[in-house]
Amino acid sequence: MNPSHLIAALIAQTQAQVPLPSPDPLGYPVPAILLQILSYFTLGLHFIAVNFTLGGLIYLVWTKIRKVDNGASEFLSSSLPLGFSYLVTLGIPPLLFVQVMYGQMFYSSSVIIGAFWILVVPLLILAYGMLYLNKLKKDTRPNTRLVILGISLLAMLTIGFIYVNNLTLSMTPGMWMEKYTANPAGSQLNHGEPTLFARYALFMSPALVVAGAALVLVGILRSKWRGDDAGVPIHELGMKGHLIGRVATLAAAGALISTLPKEFLDTLMAGPGKLFLIFGVGLAALSTAMVVVAAQKKGTVFGIIGIVLMVLEVIMFIAVRDFLRQIYLAEFFKFEDVPVHEQWGMVGIFVASMVAGLALLIVLTVKVSKSAIARYKESHAA
Ligand code: HEM
């Protein structure tokens, strides 16, 4: 038997042993590349919203523990519920894409850890509710607030952990049978997955980076509006957190690389993943440089450029994350195996509603920010 036949026979044998559902027989409505691009873009927005909200909550808890009121807590308390609503809304488009592109893997892993997966819904309600309670509560006892915010933070961190468990399991169909037979009730997580904790750290640490940059910008704006140094403690806190977040993310990336199977890493670096990784790292360095310059020169424009570069950076890393998923799944599934039955009309409707939805979000955000700014200026008028 020649080597290529042997490999094909081995793959067929592995596939036969893994109870992998077949892809949707209706196929993809557009070529996979277009689905990938749309999913990277929408997941990028989801991750930015997750990072802003989670990171903002960490800064808020920190200011409450340290009992410092530097003005950051006022901004965070009022904007985190909004951030949470964005992360949920912006999570739905990538949820549609992951179901279309990797549905048979994503559904299977969701069932295997079903009890924890369903827990995401009450945890979301709890985390969101606590942020509103904190915003609307008149009682200013610091310990009560700390408990409320602590519950929200714990719930958010748990949701993130459940997502990482589900996504890693969806990439390793070879583990499904063993896990399912050991615990058909689904009350298990993806224990034993070597990349689990490093990957979790890699997805959670950018929260400090993104929310830190936002605080730098808010601090600069506050000083500008009031014509004094009122915003300095806010932008200093943001700057410190941003840099700590960058170091933590680097450490988590190193830990993830050390736990990835070597052959997967080699395949990733031999393909387009390498290019996206280089772009991502370059954008990360540039965006941090912009945030540092913004903090030093108190320049709003630098801060905005830094944040835009950060969004692009996240999208680059999301592409790398997806290339890695394809490498993990290569022996079980490839996009090329799925027929494409083009339905451009449907895609047109999707893109039009996405653009309209995003435009609406932008208009609403501008309106809410304008009225918050007006309230802030009014309440701090000399
Ligand atoms: C506190 C709330 C949330 C947190 C902390 C969070 C965090 C995360 C994390 C860490 C991942 C990456 C997991 C990995 O690749 O290992 C992820 C992926 C994802 N999240 Fe969220 N998430 C939250 C809420 C939501 C909600 C409410 C939705 C949907 C409405 C959502 C939709 C998604 C989707 C679809 C993916 C994976 C997309 C893909 O693999 O292509 N998330 N989330």
Side-chain angles (χ1 to χ4, degrees):
M1 196 184 270
N2 77 34
S4 62
H5 287 153
L6 185 65
I7 291 170
L10 279 173
I11 290 178
Q13 195 187 4
T14 320
Q15 282 174 337
Q17 284 164 358
V18 174
L20 185 71
S22 50
D24 188 337
L26 289 177
Y28 292 150
V30 283
I33 179 80
L34 193 58
L35 295 171
Q36 283 173 272
I37 293 171
L38 284 170
S39 89
Y40 300 165
F41 172 66
T42 55
L43 189 61
L45 298 181
H46 170 62
F47 278 169
I48 290 288
V50 168
N51 288 331
F52 169 75
T53 314
L54 178 65
L57 188 50
I58 295 172
Y59 287 112
L60 188 53
V61 168
W62 173 251
T63 58
K64 298 288 170 206
I65 291 175
R66 297 292 306 266
K67 296 193 171 62
V68 283
D69 191 8
N70 51 16
S73 57
E74 182 193 351
F75 162 73
L76 290 169
S77 291
S78 65
S79 56
L80 290 187
L82 193 65
F84 204 99
S85 71
Y86 279 26
L87 81 81
V88 175
T89 313
L90 295 168
I92 292 167
L95 190 58
L96 301 180
F97 287 115
V98 77
Q99 288 171 42
V100 172
M101 294 192 298
Y102 301 103
Q104 67 276 36
M105 275 68 76
F106 188 65
Y107 287 138
S108 304
S109 57
S110 302
V111 169
I112 295 168
I113 64 156
F116 282 94
W117 187 235
I118 205 76
L119 199 63
V120 165
V121 178
L123 283 173
L124 272 172
I125 296 170
L126 185 68
Y128 198 7
M130 289 294 136
L131 289 182
Y132 262 110
L133 191 60
N134 171 64
K135 181 179 173 177
L136 302 174
K137 203 169 162 49
K138 298 275 180 281
D139 181 349
T140 48
R141 270 176 295 182
N143 286 346
T144 322
R145 277 196 194 277
L146 201 54
V147 170
I148 292 171
L149 294 170
I151 292 173
S152 184
L153 179 58
L154 214 62
M156 281 195 83
L157 289 171
T158 311
I159 295 170
F161 190 58
I162 296 174
Y163 263 94
V164 175
N165 275 271
N166 195 359
L167 268 300
T168 47
L169 187 58
S170 75
M171 287 159 43
T172 48
M175 299 306 298
W176 294 351
M177 197 47 134
E178 184 190 324
K179 293 226 171 252
Y180 181 72
T181 36
N183 187 340
S187 53
Q188 62 188 328
L189 284 167
N190 195 14
H191 296 304
E193 163 57 43
T195 63
L196 191 68
F197 291 102
R199 187 175 169 118
Y200 179 56
L202 186 60
F203 281 112
M204 295 294 108
S205 47
L208 287 179
V209 176
V210 173
L215 283 183
V216 169
L217 195 59
V218 168
I220 296 170
L221 285 171
R222 285 218 164 165
S223 298
K224 277 211 165 123
W225 291 332
R226 292 181 51 163
D228 58 18
D229 283 342
V232 171
I234 307 180
H235 91 234
E236 281 179 356
L237 173 70
M239 194 64 253
K240 247 188 240 161
H242 178 84
L243 294 177
I244 292 173
R246 280 290 188 212
V247 174
T249 309
L250 260 180
L256 181 65
I257 288 171
S258 71
T259 52
L260 278 177
K262 190 176 171 318
E263 63 279 18
F264 289 176
L265 193 60
D266 291 345
T267 315
L268 180 74
M269 295 314 278
K274 185 177 175 179
L275 202 65
F276 281 81
L277 199 61
I278 294 171
F279 273 134
V281 171
L283 284 165
L286 258 180
S287 103
T288 290
M290 287 294 150
V291 174
V292 171
V293 174
Q296 279 175 355
K297 295 200 168 190
K298 304 209 172 107
T300 330
V301 176
F302 288 109
I304 293 171
I305 296 176
I307 290 175
V308 172
L309 291 174
M310 210 174 288
V311 177
L312 295 177
E313 165 206 338
V314 170
I315 293 176
M316 292 297 147
F317 288 133
I318 285 174
V320 178
R321 167 184 176 274
D322 189 49
F323 294 144
L324 190 62
R325 165 161 53 191
Q326 287 169 36
I327 294 167
Y328 264 83
L329 289 173
E331 63 175 301
F332 308 102
F333 164 81
K334 284 189 178 65
F335 287 142
E336 300 88 87
D337 303 339
V338 184
V340 177
H341 298 130
E342 286 162 359
Q343 299 179 46
W344 292 106
M346 290 246 296
V347 179
I349 294 172
F350 173 81
V351 173
S353 39
M354 186 178 79
V355 171
L358 285 176
L360 190 67
L361 273 186
I362 293 169
V363 170
L364 286 177
T365 311
V366 171
K367 270 189 181 295
V368 171
S369 312
K370 272 190 177 160
S371 77
I373 292 166
R375 258 183 288 128
Y376 176 79
K377 284 183 174 168
E378 217 177 87
S379 64
H380 291 85

